[in-house]
Amino acid sequence: MIEFRMPSLGADMEAGFLREWKVKPGDLVKRGDIIAEIETQKGIIDIEVFDEGIVGELMIAVDEKVPVGTLMTHILSAEEATADILPAQRKVETKKMAPATAIKQREEEISIQATAHHLRASPLAKKVAAEKGIDLSKITGSGPDGAIIREDVEKAVTDLIAPGPPTEKTAADNIRMAVAAAMSKSNREVPHYYLQSRVDMSHALSWLAETNKQKSVKDRLLPVVLLIKATAKALIDVPDMNAWWDNGLQRKKDIHIGFVVSLRTGGIIVPGIHDAGKKSLDELMKTLNDIIPRARTLRLKSSELADSTITVTNLGEGAVESIFGIIYPPQVALVGFGGITEEPWAENGMLAVRSVLHISLAADHRATDGNTGSQFLAAIKKHLMQPEQL
Amino acid sequence: MTEDEIRPIINKLLKKVAPETEPEKLKPDDNIQQTLAMDSFDYLQFIIGMDEEFGIKTPEEDYGRIMTLRDLLGYVMKIKK
């Protein structure tokens, strides 16, 4: 039996609201299937399952606030599902419940029972209140002589747990608050160090222009895919940068690059490009075509927000030359690419004008030192100088 | 095609790529990408839409020639004479 718990979709996330179950008990699911929709500060997120099996009892009601780590359901084997497991499973869960939670739940039960004796409430209202964990003493009755009726309880439930869909302004505010929380935490806890380097992009851009001539407009590559792929390859060369800091450096096997997408309404969102090192440039472009519009409309999958191993930000569209960013914990590095501009370039005793890109690295000094950061930037440069091998 | 015929189509295509913006308020010499806060990804999507809508093929080397609304309208009008 595999426990399926509310995933964390970023260092800034404490809870989300379950908006829809996409499965029902007994459904067969496989890795990558969407089992629920959770509303977070970053929009409605499709929650994926990472195991294969049969869905057990759904332990969270729609519109309920669900703290990160809360048990939502179980993914069962065929044998477990065929056994009469659901009631037994519930008993086990109650026993396993942390003492404080169990006591709190018991206190709530007692509270409801006690108030029910003193308040005038219809039997149905009491039943619904008990089921939903609503304190009857806090409800104003609209029945005869002020008695609480079922509709009063249902209204209280609605008011309590379903604040309604956020307005556009609220969504932008939520994103702002999520960014504020994550960046404040990072700035408070992570000792950053910064490095910067320049790379001559003349050859890479010529190569890209030639490559794009062979492609239809729909399949053309943007320079950013070269930057993403070069970063992924550099992470293979310097794996300490592809890591999380969680009571020590934890290197990650897979390379999932978080790509910063600016929202025109304000704020940013950072969806992950999975297995960026294994994708061709064409595949990376297709991924961007898929992920950027979904990020802008706040329709991402849980894994796209949860498992990035590094962040890449590209502010090259405006007049910005360099970016000294803030790391998104628990990652240990952020790569910033500025604009590509023509600059004087000295090489082999000669001065020329070249298309130059400024690359910066913000890295966690608990995890790595300047020497490792320097090797990483050198590796990115090396790969950008050899675009045909990306 | 005339400017009056092309402009609403351009507005519609820009609005599709950047729904939060007001392309109808663009002035002739505004840099479209900068004024509407579009990045290169958005602009590529706009050019894809434009090629499909007008049945043209915009080469990559021409991207730099269609940065303002005036230039863009002139570019399309020349091709769709």
Side-chain angles (χ1 to χ4, degrees), chain A residues 230-280:
Chain A
T231 303
K233 291 192 89 167
L235 287 169
I236 297 169
D237 300 337
V238 187
D240 278 1
M241 291 292 169
N242 191 58
W244 283 5
W245 182 264
D246 186 8
N247 291 321
L249 183 69
Q250 298 184 0
R251 284 187 189 160
K252 297 289 178 182
K253 187 165 62 69
D254 298 323
I255 295 173
H256 305 316
I257 294 186
F259 182 71
V260 178
V261 176
S262 292
L263 305 176
R264 269 179 287 271
T265 48
I268 52 169
I269 197 152
V270 191
I273 300 168
H274 287 149
D275 294 317
K278 293 178 187 163
K279 286 186 164 76
S280 67

Side-chain angles (χ1 to χ4, degrees), chain A residues 168 208-209 212-213 217-218 220-223 264-265 285 288-290 292-293 296 314 317, chain B residues 17-18 20-21 33 36-42 44-45 47-48 51-52 58-60 63:
Chain A
E168 193 177 338
L208 190 63
N212 278 343
K213 274 186 190 166
V217 65
K218 272 187 174 172
R220 278 177 202 162
L221 303 174
L222 290 169
R264 269 179 287 271
T265 48
M285 192 65 214
L288 288 181
N289 284 335
D290 167 51
I292 292 177
R296 290 240 164 90
N314 174 36
E317 310 296 337
Chain B
V17 174
E20 310 86 349
T21 62
Q33 208 175 325
L36 301 183
M38 294 166 74
D39 58 21
S40 55
F41 175 82
D42 296 327
L44 180 60
Q45 301 308 307
I47 289 171
I48 291 170
D51 280 13
E52 281 177 356
T58 309
E60 195 177 29
Y63 290 2

Side-chain angles (χ1 to χ4, degrees), chain A residues 51-95:
Chain A
D51 301 288
E52 189 166 323
I54 293 159
V55 177
E57 185 188 8
L58 305 181
M59 307 178 94
I60 305 290
V62 168
D63 289 335
E64 202 170 313
K65 187 176 181 180
V66 194
V68 169
T70 305
L71 185 66
M72 296 178 72
T73 185
H74 287 91
I75 306 299
L76 311 170
S77 66
E79 296 78 37
E80 289 167 338
T82 48
D84 185 17
I85 198 158
L86 296 183
Q89 171 191 317
R90 186 168 224 170
K91 277 177 205 151
V92 171
E93 282 312 316
T94 311
K95 279 182 198 160

Side-chain angles (χ1 to χ4, degrees), chain B residues 65-79:
Chain B
R65 296 181 197 162
I66 49 177
M67 299 307 279
T68 68
L69 189 61
R70 190 193 303 277
D71 292 345
L72 178 64
L73 290 168
Y75 184 85
V76 178
M77 277 195 294
K78 198 172 165 189
I79 297 173

Side-chain angles (χ1 to χ4, degrees), chain A residues 56-227:
Chain A
E57 185 188 8
L58 305 181
M59 307 178 94
I60 305 290
V62 168
D63 289 335
E64 202 170 313
K65 187 176 181 180
V66 194
V68 169
T70 305
L71 185 66
M72 296 178 72
T73 185
H74 287 91
I75 306 299
L76 311 170
S77 66
E79 296 78 37
E80 289 167 338
T82 48
D84 185 17
I85 198 158
L86 296 183
Q89 171 191 317
R90 186 168 224 170
K91 277 177 205 151
V92 171
E93 282 312 316
T94 311
K95 279 182 198 160
K96 275 187 186 168
M97 205 183 283
T101 316
I103 291 165
K104 189 164 176 283
Q105 188 182 34
R106 182 71 192 137
E107 282 172 348
E108 282 166 1
E109 283 168 11
I110 293 166
S111 161
I112 290 166
Q113 285 164 6
T115 49
H117 287 299
H118 296 95
L119 288 165
R120 288 176 58 82
S122 74
L124 195 53
K126 287 177 188 170
K127 182 171 177 289
V128 175
E131 282 172 2
K132 302 285 185 186
I134 296 291
D135 183 354
L136 282 173
S137 67
K138 292 183 178 152
I139 298 178
T140 307
S142 65
D145 298 327
I148 297 164
I149 58 174
R150 188 189 64 177
E151 285 78 5
D152 299 327
V153 179
E154 285 175 345
K155 184 176 178 304
V157 172
T158 309
D159 291 348
L160 192 67
I161 59 177
T167 62
E168 193 177 338
K169 187 172 180 298
T170 309
D173 288 346
N174 285 340
I175 291 279
R176 189 72 261 152
M177 294 311 289
V179 173
M183 296 300 97
S184 300
K185 179 182 165 67
S186 177
N187 209 35
R188 203 166 48 238
E189 296 177 5
V190 181
H192 288 64
Y193 69 89
Y194 297 96
L195 302 176
Q196 187 187 19
S197 193
R198 296 193 312 158
V199 58
D200 176 5
M201 288 291 284
S202 305
H203 175 56
L205 292 183
S206 310
W207 178 85
L208 190 63
E210 283 304 310
T211 304
N212 278 343
K213 274 186 190 166
Q214 320 299 322
K215 296 179 183 293
S216 71
V217 65
K218 272 187 174 172
D219 296 327
R220 278 177 202 162
L221 303 174
L222 290 169
V224 70
V225 296
L226 302 184
L227 309 182

Side-chain angles (χ1 to χ4, degrees), chain B residues 53-65:
Chain B
E53 187 76 33
F54 296 115
I56 60 177
K57 282 186 180 171
T58 309
E60 195 177 29
E61 56 263 33
D62 284 356
Y63 290 2
R65 296 181 197 162

Side-chain angles (χ1 to χ4, degrees), chain A residues 294-309:
Chain A
R294 285 196 291 111
R296 290 240 164 90
T297 50
L298 306 180
R299 293 291 323 203
L300 291 165
K301 294 178 195 164
S302 53
S303 63
E304 290 165 341
L305 283 171
D307 56 11
S308 293
T309 53

